[in-house]
Amino acid sequence: YGSLGALAVALVVFDFAVHVKWAALISVVVLGAVGFMTTTPLQMLVMSKARHAPTLASASNHSAFNLANAGGAWLGGLAIGAGWGWTSPALVGAVLAAAGLGIAVTAGTLDRGTPRDATRVVAQGAGETPSREPAA
């Protein structure tokens, strides 16, 4: 969550910092670092959720990153084409990062609501040991 929030903030700061050379340089370095920090936790989360199909999960995750790169570039191009200025893609990226943060928080909240290894005890006849079955 922190890296997505930091990415949104870094993109907004970049929009203002780009007009001063030294601030633009620092902003680009911070933006690269924060962008890099975002991918590793996402990849680790996907791999932990897909224990039975890690190769498929990893490939799907990389495909999603590539689609996001293409979509972000397209939306940034639309912003420039609409006359919003050369730095407008940074603001578009900030909105996308904030939307991603909202989705991540929602998904994380929903994920915490369901136990990972939910089981229920099935009642048996007298004297028998209860068995455990996966919860429906």
Side-chain angles (χ1 to χ4, degrees), residues 3 12 14 20 30 37 44 46 58 61 63 65 73 77 81-83 102 110 113 123 128 135:
S3 62
V12 170
F14 176 77
V20 179
V30 169
M37 286 184 347
M44 295 302 294
V46 167
S58 181
N61 193 38
S63 296
F65 278 132
L110 292 174
E128 294 181 22

Side-chain angles (χ1 to χ4, degrees), residues 33-120:
V34 172
F36 183 73
M37 286 184 347
T38 305
T39 58
T40 303
L42 288 172
Q43 180 71 20
M44 295 302 294
L45 178 65
V46 167
M47 296 304 287
S48 72
K49 295 291 182 183
R51 291 182 293 253
H52 302 295
T55 304
L56 178 63
S58 181
S60 297
N61 193 38
H62 286 288
S63 296
F65 278 132
N66 287 329
L67 286 172
N69 283 335
W74 178 68
L75 290 173
L78 288 178
I80 292 171
W84 293 352
W86 293 110
T87 62
S88 62
L91 297 178
V92 171
V95 170
L96 292 173
L101 177 59
I103 292 169
V105 168
T106 302
T109 302
L110 292 174
D111 189 43
R112 283 189 201 100
T114 53
R116 292 174 195 219
D117 295 322
T119 57
R120 60 187 165 97

Side-chain angles (χ1 to χ4, degrees), residues 16-27:
F16 295 103
V18 74
H19 303 289
V20 179
K21 288 182 183 181
W22 66 267
L25 177 65
I26 293 171
S27 183

